[in-house]
Amino acid sequence: MPEYKAPLRDIRFLIDEVFDYPASYAALGASDATPDMVAAILEEGARFCEQVLSPINRSGDEEECQWRDGVVTTPKGFKEAFAQYVEGGWNGLAADPAYGGQGLPHSLGLIISEMVASANQSWAMYPGLTHGAMSAIHAHGTEEQKQTYLTRLTEGRWTGTMCLTEPHCGTDLGIIKTRAVPQADGSYAISGTKIFISAGEHDMSENIIHLVLAKLPDAPAGTKGISLFIVPKFLPAGDGIGERNAVSCGSIEHKMGIKASATCVMNFDGATGFLIGEANKGLNCMFTMMNHARLGTGMQGLCLGEASYQGAVRYANDRLQMRALTGPKAPDKPADPIIVHPDVRRMLLTMKAFNEGNRALAYFTAQQLDIAHRSDSAEQREEAENLLAFLTPICKAFMTESGLEATNLGMQVFGGHGYIREWGMEQLVRDCRIAPIYEGTNGIQALDLLGRKVLGSQGKLLRGFTRLIHKFCQAQAEHPRFKTQVAELARLNQQWGELTQKVGMAAMKNPDEVGAAALDYLMYSGYITLAWLWLRMALVAEDKLQAGEGDSAYYQTKLATCDFYFKRLLPRTEAHRAAVEAGSDCLMQLPAENFAL
Amino acid sequence: MPEYKAPLRDIRFLIDEVFDYPASYAALGASDATPDMVAAILEEGARFCEQVLSPINRSGDEEECQWRDGVVTTPKGFKEAFAQYVEGGWNGLAADPAYGGQGLPHSLGLIISEMVASANQSWAMYPGLTHGAMSAIHAHGTEEQKQTYLTRLTEGRWTGTMCLTEPHCGTDLGIIKTRAVPQADGSYAISGTKIFISAGEHDMSENIIHLVLAKLPDAPAGTKGISLFIVPKFLPAGDGIGERNAVSCGSIEHKMGIKASATCVMNFDGATGFLIGEANKGLNCMFTMMNHARLGTGMQGLCLGEASYQGAVRYANDRLQMRALTGPKAPDKPADPIIVHPDVRRMLLTMKAFNEGNRALAYFTAQQLDIAHRSDSAEQREEAENLLAFLTPICKAFMTESGLEATNLGMQVFGGHGYIREWGMEQLVRDCRIAPIYEGTNGIQALDLLGRKVLGSQGKLLRGFTRLIHKFCQAQAEHPRFKTQVAELARLNQQWGELTQKVGMAAMKNPDEVGAAALDYLMYSGYITLAWLWLRMALVAEDKLQAGEGDSAYYQTKLATCDFYFKRLLPRTEAHRAAVEAGSDCLMQLPAENFAL
């Protein structure tokens, strides 16, 4: 398994030099998050991920979770690592101090999550789902529910889940069958089967708090008749747990990857549940935390891409094979290290450009999350909310698609050894492969971006973002080093608007045009977004070099990677643009039955 | 697991209607391969693959091969299936009648291999490697070696392997360490370790014949000092086997996929071997059969893409989720089948366009293989050899890259269920993932195409192929239905030549330019090649429709898929062109150590 080293230099570059988190934290009143405190947290988090989580990643994949008579056992070391995580206070890092959290900014929590998932994606699922449940209860729970559940979830004594999917529906939650029948005591009897429930059952915590979507007896049909319930594995009693509730894990799935994450079939047999938020508004409750969850899922592409890159670079420097086309580079050895070969570098630089570009995208978006949560200014909050709404589907889908490409490239660098489980490179591909699927498939993200966000706002959310790029390009149009790239970005930024108008016009006549264009439109948008972020990073690097500050090799590498991105990855926009413009006819003209011919 | 149905209609379309195999077989004197005989063979082969191999594909993946004390046990049913395969005469279908084969054309053998691998890629490895060993012995063995080994391999009583890779080298065979010491009796004592040996040890056959690359004591350094040896597991004796040879299986690999294919570490401890072909010409012996093996590996992309497509189309018609954007299509059901959604169709059509285009590429190439093997005309043979040399790396790399994309899309169509092993869709991704790696990584294929074949022939091999396209475009320039597509193909065909010249010029100054451009150049070439084949298929379909012959729905589907290919996949050439033109500087400017920054 590639040994994970947290990329602290790159993290610091983004938060200190590119996005100025310290200023942002100060402006938002996050007074605890001083630069010194942030530095200490990052270093301590890195140590935990490198020394505790990374070493049990490969073994976790081999052992998988085991199910027996409803009891799920996680792989060796998982439980102990969770205890250490809780002990270290990591679980409540960004949680509300009113319920036992440390109240640090969400962006900082997200960076810690990045290191956790890079080191061990399967393990990351357990705290990840808990954080999802915490957000839901924080946003929609009563004070009593918060005192009862949120405090213990924050403490890490209990963990949480999100129970949405059923055997016959995942995307289409309007047709769920799980029922909630009101009881005399104000609680509800929940009955139904939920599938794909991450962390639904395990041996890490005293209690598991399920957040369950279900329908009341008189609920309207469709998504407007869904309510959200808290269904604990053990009913709370006093300071701890009481009676076992009628919820059980019927089996766990055997999956392609994230094998140490328990993916459970959960059976609710008249289990006692408590309504959270308003009746029939359950889906809205879910949506309020979706931006955060989707950004987290997008980061899975970054995290596994990063882990894969680290393995691939080490291997490319160690593995001797063939001579450089320009003559031997290590004449004293039987062959040259494969990093001398241009095609190996193409693979490494593709990974590097995606990873670092995606990290910039994630941190920029996380900064908007902080502003949306904390700013005193309604105007700033609205602007941040709009950016979040627009960027979230791009984060989720673009980062997972490019992350999957990165993990596949990392494996390819290893040649035949990449296919062997022992090396751990193929595990990263398998662990990453779920990311384009769950938390809303990338097809759904694309519809969300183009249909709901861009066209649904009459272009307003798009313009809010392209205006940032436009201003940037105006400001840098004459930059001595980057003017060619700035001009290319400006051209694409304008084309983006024009392309959107074309699709919008076509969609007014035929709604299928949205679905036909969506995925390619999203990828196109992602490539342009990363181009802007790459130029922002390059400008900082260039300034540092001009000023003679810091580690020049690091900054030179940023410039070279930006150059690579513009020359070899950004041109993919052209293929996506053509696909968007192809329209829906070439997809819809055939009757469904012809597909099998 | 998606149940495999051999796509006989599509196979017949290509061999009968597009490439006219019957005329080609007649002209090449393959008098046994009458249309009736071919039809009977295809139907019988389909039945065997559907009924015997497909049902043990999923279980084989779960059981994997088991190693114990040097003995390898294949999963349940594998051995019995091999016995049935041998019994049915499939193993010797395209083998030389002088050694017990049926002498049918290689193209027909390849189509049977396609069905075998689509049904069960792991199982296909055992006869696949045997065929490789048979080709080598047929081409380079002495008459005695052929009588001893080839007859039994053809019979299927014995199986074969190819032992090339060692722990420290796979691509770079010039640095192998396995040694061959001449013995007094004319044999050689072979010592060394080979890894990644498919079918190196198993329980399917009485004997296993290893073809082993090794170095003689006085051999020159590098690839010109490699010799090829026959090393049988049991030394031949009389009509059967005698003494056990000093070759043993030290372990098997635990892999991402093709888990029912035994990938062995083989230890040769002074094993008795017999030189095959000339001393120090072992690599040349390998190269003579590489076209065939690489075409076969390329087909793995087609085969698993096809299997995945079949599963995805069925699921897309069955799975109900959301309503069509244009209004309900199945109002009597709780939701519409997901095939109504444009993005699901985008995925299905991408798969379909790749699969059918790749099948056309494979069958066109296989026809060249027949001509190269059988034609009386030296000119025809040379033309076919040139086309083979040119197309083989494209087949291997383009078909495996696009096949991997197809299997990933098929899995994506299934949503969360695609990630669950039980459905079998993720297995197809895992089984496919080795194809871009083995039999020469796709990076190596790309160097072979651009460096060795195209630039190495001063463009002659490229011109031989683009001339075919040029003639086609001239002939069809005014076609009432296709003139736009023909014009686009002609434009790209010309651009192909110009782009090649640019790279060639740059490469004269800097050899790294070849490596920097190679992979994108290969993909670019593949997309143009498939465009030509798609138009050829569309022309046939259009003619049939105009003539009112045959199944119009089938032909309409071909036209629609061609339309899709031109509108949504062919524009990817633009991204690859830009990457080719980007040159080597953006890859090579950084010192190797900077990659880890």
Side-chain angles (χ1 to χ4, degrees), chain A residues 171-412:
Chain A
T171 297
D172 192 359
L173 292 171
I175 57 176
I176 59 167
K177 292 177 181 166
T178 298
R179 287 288 174 272
V181 179
Q183 305 295 296
D185 64 356
S187 72
Y188 295 80
I190 311 289
S191 299
T193 299
K194 296 286 180 177
I195 63 168
F196 300 164
I197 308 309
S198 298
E201 183 58 55
H202 57 78
D203 53 6
M204 289 177 167
S205 64
E206 174 188 271
N207 200 6
I208 301 174
I209 309 307
H210 303 287
L211 291 189
V212 184
L213 288 183
K215 295 201 136 191
L216 294 168
D218 56 352
T223 53
K224 289 178 178 148
I226 302 174
S227 305
L228 185 62
F229 298 87
I230 295 177
V231 185
K233 177 179 169 185
F234 292 97
L235 293 169
D239 183 42
I241 58 170
E243 202 186 333
R244 172 79 196 235
N245 204 352
V247 47
S248 60
C249 173
S251 61
I252 57 174
E253 305 290 350
H254 302 284
K255 310 184 298 297
M256 183 189 206
I258 51 168
K259 292 185 179 191
S261 163
T263 305
C264 303
V265 174
M266 296 305 299
N267 297 315
F268 297 87
D269 301 308
T272 300
F274 308 98
L275 183 68
I276 172 167
E278 281 180 61
N280 298 330
K281 294 276 171 70
L283 215 55
N284 294 15
C285 295
M286 287 285 141
F287 273 120
T288 57
M289 65 189 148
M290 229 164 240
N291 282 341
H292 201 155
R294 290 182 166 180
L295 173 56
T297 306
M299 288 184 75
Q300 189 172 343
L302 158 62
C303 295
L304 297 170
E306 170 69 33
S308 186
Y309 179 73
Q310 293 189 11
V313 167
R314 252 170 260 147
Y315 192 80
N317 276 302
D318 287 348
R319 175 79 171 173
L320 308 177
Q321 207 77 171
M322 311 298 282
R323 291 296 180 188
L325 293 168
T326 49
K329 297 290 173 282
D332 52 320
K333 294 186 177 156
D336 290 336
I338 60 173
I339 201 166
V340 306
H341 304 303
D343 193 57
V344 171
R345 287 173 168 240
R346 173 189 63 81
M347 295 191 276
L348 293 174
L349 281 165
T350 303
M351 299 174 81
K352 192 172 172 65
F354 277 141
N355 290 341
E356 294 174 15
N358 284 339
R359 184 173 292 117
L361 172 56
Y363 289 15
F364 176 77
T365 308
Q367 197 169 33
Q368 307 312 313
L369 206 60
D370 287 342
I371 299 169
H373 271 95
R374 291 175 179 256
S375 175
D376 292 333
S377 146
E379 195 187 334
Q380 273 194 355
R381 282 202 308 273
E382 195 197 333
E383 197 187 331
E385 288 285 4
N386 285 342
L387 280 169
L388 266 180
F390 178 76
L391 290 174
T392 297
I394 298 178
C395 287
K396 197 281 178 179
F398 183 84
M399 288 171 68
T400 58
E401 295 288 335
S402 54
L404 187 61
E405 180 175 341
T407 56
N408 268 297
L409 288 171
M411 182 178 159
Q412 189 76 17

Side-chain angles (χ1 to χ4, degrees), chain A residues 170 172 254 309 321-322 345 352 408 412 419 421 430 433 436 516 520 557 568 587 590 595 597, chain B residues 170 172 254 256 309 321-322 345 352 408 412 419 421 430 433 436 516 520 568 587 590 594-595 597:
Chain A
D172 192 359
H254 302 284
Y309 179 73
Q321 207 77 171
M322 311 298 282
R345 287 173 168 240
K352 192 172 172 65
N408 268 297
Q412 189 76 17
Y419 201 62
R421 297 214 296 266
R430 288 187 289 103
R433 184 61 187 87
D520 282 283
T557 305
R568 300 202 52 137
L587 301 174
L590 282 177
F595 280 74
L597 293 179
Chain B
D172 193 358
H254 301 284
M256 181 189 208
Y309 179 73
Q321 206 78 170
M322 309 300 280
R345 286 175 167 239
K352 192 173 173 66
N408 268 300
Q412 189 75 18
Y419 200 63
R421 297 214 297 265
R430 289 187 288 104
R433 185 61 188 85
D520 282 283
R568 300 201 53 135
L587 301 175
L590 283 176
N594 286 35
F595 280 76
L597 295 179

Side-chain angles (χ1 to χ4, degrees), chain A residues 494-556:
Chain A
Q494 185 175 342
Q495 189 192 67
W496 196 358
E498 292 160 3
L499 185 65
T500 306
Q501 281 200 318
K502 275 188 215 170
V503 178
M505 297 293 282
M508 283 163 68
K509 291 184 202 142
N510 179 0
D512 272 339
E513 293 293 340
V514 179
L519 200 281
D520 282 283
Y521 181 87
L522 184 144
M523 293 304 291
Y524 171 88
S525 305
Y527 281 107
I528 298 175
T529 303
L530 249 62
W532 172 62
L533 291 162
W534 264 113
L535 271 185
R536 288 189 61 176
M537 292 191 280
L539 277 168
V540 172
E542 174 72 4
D543 286 350
K544 294 283 177 179
L545 286 167
Q546 293 293 339
E549 283 172 20
D551 175 3
S552 67
Y554 177 82
Y555 295 120
Q556 291 290 1

Side-chain angles (χ1 to χ4, degrees), chain A residues 64 166-172 175 195-196 253-259 263 309 313 317 319-323 325-326 334-335 339-343 345-346 348-349 352 356 401 404 408-409 411-412 415-422 426 429-434 436-437 441-443 447 510-512 514-517 519-520 551 553-554 556-557 560-561 563-564 567-568 571-572 574-575 578-580 582-583 586-597, chain B residues 64 166-173 175 195-196 253-259 263 309 313 317 319-323 325-326 334-335 339-343 345-346 348-349 352 356 401 404 408-409 411-412 415-422 426 429-434 436-437 441-443 447 510-512 514-517 519-520 551 553-554 556-557 560-561 563-564 567-568 571-572 574-575 578-580 582-583 586-597:
Chain A
E64 310 194 11
E166 301 187 2
H168 67 294
C169 66
T171 297
D172 192 359
I175 57 176
I195 63 168
F196 300 164
E253 305 290 350
H254 302 284
K255 310 184 298 297
M256 183 189 206
I258 51 168
K259 292 185 179 191
T263 305
Y309 179 73
V313 167
N317 276 302
R319 175 79 171 173
L320 308 177
Q321 207 77 171
M322 311 298 282
R323 291 296 180 188
L325 293 168
T326 49
I339 201 166
V340 306
H341 304 303
D343 193 57
R345 287 173 168 240
R346 173 189 63 81
L348 293 174
L349 281 165
K352 192 172 172 65
E356 294 174 15
E401 295 288 335
L404 187 61
N408 268 297
L409 288 171
M411 182 178 159
Q412 189 76 17
H417 297 278
Y419 201 62
I420 307 300
R421 297 214 296 266
E422 193 185 355
E426 60 83 40
V429 176
R430 288 187 289 103
D431 285 355
C432 194
R433 184 61 187 87
I434 188 60
I437 295 176
T441 64
N442 285 357
L447 278 179
N510 179 0
D512 272 339
V514 179
L519 200 281
D520 282 283
D551 175 3
Y554 177 82
Q556 291 290 1
T557 305
T561 311
D563 182 37
F564 173 86
K567 284 193 180 136
R568 300 202 52 137
R572 294 184 185 180
E574 190 53 23
V580 167
C586 66
L587 301 174
M588 305 312 288
Q589 61 184 306
L590 282 177
E593 57 270 25
N594 286 36
F595 280 74
L597 293 179
Chain B
E64 309 195 14
E166 301 186 1
H168 67 295
C169 66
T171 297
D172 193 358
L173 293 171
I175 56 175
I195 64 166
F196 301 163
E253 304 291 350
H254 301 284
K255 310 185 299 297
M256 181 189 208
I258 54 167
K259 293 186 178 190
T263 305
Y309 179 73
V313 166
N317 276 300
R319 175 78 172 175
L320 308 177
Q321 206 78 170
M322 309 300 280
R323 291 298 180 187
L325 294 168
T326 50
I339 200 167
V340 305
H341 304 305
D343 193 58
R345 286 175 167 239
R346 173 190 64 80
L348 293 174
L349 281 164
K352 192 173 173 66
E356 295 174 14
E401 296 287 337
L404 187 61
N408 268 300
L409 288 171
M411 184 179 156
Q412 189 75 18
H417 297 279
Y419 200 63
I420 307 300
R421 297 214 297 265
E422 192 183 357
E426 60 83 40
V429 175
R430 289 187 288 104
D431 286 356
C432 194
R433 185 61 188 85
I434 188 60
I437 295 175
T441 64
N442 286 356
L447 278 179
N510 178 1
D512 272 339
V514 179
L519 201 279
D520 282 283
D551 175 3
Y554 177 81
Q556 291 289 2
T557 306
T561 313
D563 181 37
F564 173 86
K567 285 192 179 137
R568 300 201 53 135
R572 295 184 185 180
E574 191 52 23
V580 167
C586 65
L587 301 175
M588 307 311 289
Q589 62 184 303
L590 283 176
E593 57 271 24
N594 286 35
F595 280 76
L597 295 179

